[in-house]
């Protein structure tokens, strides 16, 4: 071994698991594994968590996981807004489209919390275990491989490169995942007819009493209460944003005002197109989430529409299932492939079911078919049959297969207090 090789080897990092992406799924998995005594390295390409218009929803199923971990009370001391119901405006009438009041959980609401606060909370708890290391401003360059098995990552920070060796590599690096691309995993895309233009508008006392609501003739405007401002999303036809910008700012303001329940004068707060952010919606999933030594979770495995904020919830649920299945073989030195296969099998159904529901809610009209007027059919059905709002609340709040923490014998779901907190927890 020459001098350069020796220096490189000495700078290498060794861990049981390396996770690409410090989002909700990556940090939740990192925390759970580290708490189980497994050495984890998480890498994040950004310098901090401070970015606007990220998924700031913490669903009842995630709050239940935090309760099982003994972290709920401390988490809810952070600033947040509670949404016990989701609303839609139809023809000037407020309709509850999702009601969480009957969920079998301690918290029967969605908590809107800045994602940077939630991620910082998880990171601090993980660091306290003594088995967790977070590397910021660090990007995935390539995979390390031992034959056909993935054995770690090559990463870069500035001009420096480093190798991180691990028994398991987890791609939790989002819908543009470098890990899944480098692993050559096959993606099945289902498209989406829409994009969302996000913006901030001031929140005044005279505004509608929504925590989260949808408005407009086809629920094409989303409002999320952020306290002193509204986070607003204007739904547009996919690929049309450049055409919208060509028509000018005044035309854009007028189009948003036409579907918003806020006064048209409020749109003057959009001073330029630099004040808005385009989210390109895509719905896809991997045909196989894993290969020997590697697995993808969250948006890296299955990109979702932002409808209902379920993408964050599914990423958390993937992380909990992954920790439950992988902690024992990681600690015991056993083969990981059976657990990786079991993880995809367990999480495939809720993923497929959620994506089918989203595609149904945003189905494209057939060629030559006239665009339908009025809100989507599911919204009309809920308006006619209010009991359906409780079903929608369960699907949005819990998903099709909520996960519970089982890898720690002393904690997890306890039948005696599942209903203890009600909506005031």
């Amino acid at each position: 071994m020459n001098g350069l090789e020796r220096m490189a080897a000495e700078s290498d990092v060794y861990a049981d698991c390396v996770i690409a992406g410090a989002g909700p799924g990556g940090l939740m998995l990192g925390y759970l594994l580290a708490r189980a005594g497994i050495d984890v390295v998480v890498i994040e390409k950004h310098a901090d968590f401070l970015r606007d218009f990220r998924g700031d929803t913490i669903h009842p199923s995630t709050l239940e996981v935090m309760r099982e971990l003994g972290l709920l009370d401390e988490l809810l001391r952070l600033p947040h807004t509670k949404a016990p119901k989701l609303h839609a405006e139809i023809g000037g009438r407020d309709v509850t489209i999702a009601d969480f009041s009957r969920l079998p959980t301690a918290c029967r609401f969605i908590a809107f919390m800045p994602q940077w606060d939630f991620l910082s909370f998880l990171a601090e708890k993980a660091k306290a275990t003594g088995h967790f290391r977070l590397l910021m401003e660090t990007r995935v360059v390539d995979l390390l491989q031992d034959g056909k098995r993935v054995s770690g990552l090559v990463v870069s920070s500035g001009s420096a490169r480093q190798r991180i060796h691990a028994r398991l590599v987890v791609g939790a690096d989002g819908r543009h995942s470098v890990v899944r691309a480098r692993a050559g995993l096959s993606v099945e895309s289902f498209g989406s007819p829409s994009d969302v233009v996000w913006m901030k508008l001031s929140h005044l006392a005279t505004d509608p009493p929504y925590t989260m609501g949808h408005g407009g003739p086809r629920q094409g405007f989303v409002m999320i209460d952020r306290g002193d401002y509204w986070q607003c999303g204007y739904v547009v036809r996919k690929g049309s944003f450049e055409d919208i910008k060509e028509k000018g700012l005044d035309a854009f303001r007028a189009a948003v005002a036409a579907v918003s329940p806020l006064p048209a004068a409020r749109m003057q707060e959009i001073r330029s197109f630099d004040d808005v952010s385009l989210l390109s919606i895509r719905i896809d999933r991997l045909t196989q989430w894993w290969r020997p030594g590697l697995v993808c979770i969250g948006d890296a495995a299955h990109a979702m529409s932002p409808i209902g904020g379920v993408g964050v919830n599914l990423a958390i649920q993937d992380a909990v299932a992954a920790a439950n299945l992988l902690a024992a073989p990681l600690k015991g030195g056993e083969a990981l492939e059976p657990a990786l296969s079991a993880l995809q099998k367990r999480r495939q159904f809720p993923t497929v079911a959620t994506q089918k529901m989203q595609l149904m809610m945003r189905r494209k009209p057939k060629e030559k078919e006239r665009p339908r007027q009025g809100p989507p059919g599911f919204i009309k059905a809920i308006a006619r049959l209010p009991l359906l709002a409780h079903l929608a609340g369960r699907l949005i709040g819990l998903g099709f297969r909520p996960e519970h923490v089982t890898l720690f014998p002393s904690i997890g779901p306890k039948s005696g207090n599942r209903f203890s907190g009600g909506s005031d927890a």
Side-chain angles (χ1 to χ4, degrees):
M1 180 181 291
N2 62 36
L4 289 176
E5 289 173 333
R6 187 177 300 108
M7 288 175 64
E10 289 173 354
S11 68
D12 284 5
V13 174
Y14 294 83
D16 297 314
C17 177
V18 58
I19 300 170
L27 282 179
M28 175 61 78
L29 178 57
Y31 166 67
L32 291 171
L33 293 179
R35 182 163 165 169
I38 294 163
D39 290 331
V40 179
V41 174
V42 176
I43 67 168
E44 169 56 45
K45 64 182 180 181
H46 294 101
D48 54 45
F49 300 131
L50 297 173
R51 284 172 295 286
D52 283 334
F53 307 128
R54 298 188 67 167
D56 292 349
T57 53
I58 305 179
H59 285 61
S61 56
T62 300
L63 293 169
E64 189 71 2
V65 166
M66 301 303 282
R67 185 194 65 79
E68 292 169 3
L69 292 167
L71 301 176
L72 179 62
D73 291 342
E74 188 176 354
L75 176 70
L76 292 181
R77 284 196 285 271
L78 297 175
H80 66 282
T81 304
K82 297 177 183 178
K85 297 178 181 180
L86 302 183
H87 300 268
E89 178 269 322
I90 300 178
R93 183 167 67 96
D94 179 66
V95 175
T96 297
I97 60 171
D99 187 334
F100 307 116
S101 64
R102 297 184 183 179
L103 296 184
T105 56
C107 298
R108 300 176 191 136
F109 55 84
I110 286 179
F112 290 100
M113 177 182 294
Q115 192 176 104
W116 51 81
D117 286 344
F118 181 56
L119 297 180
S120 296
F121 181 87
L122 285 177
E124 288 305 312
K125 293 300 177 185
K127 289 174 185 176
T129 66
H131 293 277
F132 179 90
R133 186 175 175 187
L134 177 60
L135 303 179
M136 303 297 287
E137 294 187 274
T138 303
R139 295 175 176 269
V140 176
V141 175
D142 208 347
L143 305 180
L144 293 174
Q145 299 196 77
D146 182 3
K148 293 184 178 181
R149 179 182 172 276
V150 176
S151 59
L153 293 176
V154 180
V155 301
S156 67
S157 180
S159 60
R161 289 199 176 190
Q162 193 171 38
R163 293 179 296 188
I164 304 176
H165 304 266
R167 290 195 60 218
L168 177 65
V169 171
V170 179
D173 48 343
R175 61 187 60 209
H176 303 294
S177 172
V178 176
V179 169
R180 81 178 186 184
R182 292 290 185 270
L185 298 175
S186 178
V187 183
E188 187 177 7
S189 179
F190 304 97
S192 174
S194 305
D195 291 329
V196 178
V197 182
W198 289 110
M199 67 205 79
K200 291 181 180 180
L201 296 172
S202 59
H203 187 176
L204 304 181
T206 54
D207 289 341
Y210 298 156
T211 305
M212 179 175 181
H214 295 251
R218 283 194 52 77
Q219 271 49 65
F221 189 76
V222 180
M223 298 171 62
I224 302 174
D225 183 0
R226 296 300 193 200
D228 58 348
Y229 71 92
W230 292 104
Q231 178 179 327
C232 299
Y234 175 52
V235 180
V236 301
R237 179 172 48 83
K238 177 163 284 295
S240 66
F241 188 54
E242 288 304 316
D243 293 337
I244 289 172
K245 288 198 292 186
E246 283 186 9
K247 293 178 181 178
L249 191 61
D250 287 339
F252 175 71
R253 290 172 178 150
V256 175
V259 298
S260 168
L262 300 174
R266 196 79 53 87
M267 306 307 146
Q268 297 303 313
E269 296 174 6
I270 307 169
R271 294 162 297 180
S272 75
F273 283 108
D274 291 337
D275 291 335
V276 304
S277 177
L278 179 69
L279 171 64
S280 180
I281 299 175
R282 56 193 282 186
I283 300 177
D284 65 32
R285 64 175 176 267
L286 298 177
T287 54
Q288 181 159 317
W289 300 15
W290 64 278
R291 50 177 286 195
L294 178 146
V295 69
C296 289
I297 64 172
D299 275 1
H302 44 71
M304 297 284 172
S305 159
I307 295 172
V310 296
V312 173
N313 189 44
L314 279 169
I316 295 283
Q317 301 301 307
D318 287 354
V320 174
N324 288 339
L325 290 165
L326 290 163
L330 278 171
K331 288 194 76 172
E334 304 162 19
L336 296 176
E337 286 73 18
L340 297 177
S341 178
L343 174 61
Q344 178 173 352
K345 184 176 180 181
R346 178 166 183 84
R347 297 303 303 162
Q348 186 88 8
F349 164 69
T351 297
V352 172
T354 302
Q355 289 182 330
K356 284 186 174 180
M357 182 175 69
Q358 291 192 327
L359 291 167
M360 176 187 71
M361 292 162 65
R362 287 289 181 189
R363 192 176 299 280
K364 289 182 180 179
K366 295 179 182 178
E367 193 172 348
K368 296 183 180 180
E369 182 182 3
R370 293 181 62 188
R372 299 174 186 173
Q373 299 299 312
F378 80 98
I379 294 285
K380 292 179 179 178
I382 292 173
R384 291 194 304 268
L385 300 170
L387 283 176
L388 291 178
H390 292 286
L391 174 60
R394 185 174 185 90
L395 294 178
I396 293 172
L398 299 183
F400 287 91
R401 177 173 284 158
E403 302 289 347
H404 298 281
V405 180
T406 62
L407 71 163
F408 307 118
S410 61
I411 66 173
K414 301 175 180 63
S415 60
N417 61 358
R418 293 287 298 282
F419 294 86
S420 60
S423 61
D424 297 325

